[in-house]
Amino acid sequence: DPQPYGLTVMGASLAFAATTTARGIDLWVVNSAATASPPAATSVEVRAGTASAWPSDLAVMDGVAYFAATDGPATSPQRQLWSLDDTNGTNTLTVHGFTDPDQITAGVRSVTFTACDGNNVRQLYEYYPVSAKGPGVNRTEVLNMNTSIAGATVHDLTLVGLDLWFGATDSQGDVAYKLRAAGPFTGGQRVIPV
């Protein structure tokens, strides 16, 4: 029983996680433009063999799916941020690092998620990938909110229009915040308590 989950549309393809005895829980892609009827699912095989990669939190930006998964000892035994680009039908898989990414949310120009830093403290990150739709370089920003929520537990990332809303729990309680969609950080306050 494959038990598919995380079905996510990425252009003309559908990405999802599913279980098989040959591959464990891994990422699969069905290209709706394929000539076969019904179109066949192709395993992306994040983690080789029968051990599970546990892909989750699929989010799509510019036709590229971003997700959390592990490839075991090959890169890291921990979950990392990955991307799958199927725009040419080649299923190009890339690992971006970051320890234990969670709540991956795709916006217009960036992918926002939480992940653990070098001190095992969960931070809010904004990742600006190189895009076929514009020039640039892969760049990541740690969103240093203000000192009142440094080290706070960030949760419930939700995109509303171009702004990202989220909650943060610290010793003072739970507060709603808004991340203004101002593009790459150039100074000024982008994370605003509501």
Side-chain angles (χ1 to χ4, degrees):
D1 191 17
Q3 302 174 356
Y5 65 91
L7 281 74
T8 306
V9 175
M10 46 182 281
S13 298
L14 179 70
F16 59 94
T19 305
T20 65
T21 54
R23 303 219 190 278
I25 300 172
D26 219 328
L27 194 64
W28 293 78
V29 174
V30 174
N31 188 324
S32 65
T35 57
S37 182
T42 304
S43 172
V44 178
E45 199 168 22
V46 174
R47 187 172 187 176
T50 60
S52 294
W54 299 101
S56 65
D57 295 297
L58 276 78
V60 175
M61 184 181 76
D62 287 341
V64 176
Y66 293 86
F67 60 96
T70 181
D71 63 355
T75 304
S76 170
Q78 297 174 327
R79 294 169 56 77
Q80 298 182 75
L81 180 67
W82 292 76
S83 64
L84 172 65
D85 187 346
D86 186 47
T87 54
N88 298 323
T90 57
N91 291 338
T92 304
L93 195 60
T94 306
V95 64
H96 300 281
F98 301 101
T99 302
D100 195 24
D102 193 17
Q103 303 182 64
I104 300 167
T105 306
V108 176
R109 294 175 296 223
S110 65
V111 176
T112 308
F113 55 94
T114 64
C116 293
D117 64 13
N119 296 319
N120 206 29
V121 173
R122 189 155 291 279
Q123 299 283 352
L124 184 63
Y125 291 88
E126 197 168 26
Y127 175 68
Y128 292 88
V130 172
S131 170
K133 296 183 178 181
V137 295
N138 288 334
R139 194 175 86 253
T140 305
E141 296 175 6
V142 178
L143 297 174
N144 292 320
M145 295 169 278
N146 55 46
T147 55
S148 68
I149 61 168
T153 302
V154 176
H155 57 87
D156 296 317
L157 277 66
T158 304
L159 193 64
V160 178
L162 297 176
D163 296 326
L164 181 79
W165 290 74
F166 60 93
T169 305
D170 64 9
S171 61
Q172 304 300 313
D174 205 10
V175 178
Y177 287 85
K178 178 173 81 168
L179 172 63
R180 294 184 305 183
F185 184 69
T186 55
Q189 187 178 13
R190 287 188 57 214
V191 179
I192 305 165
V194 179

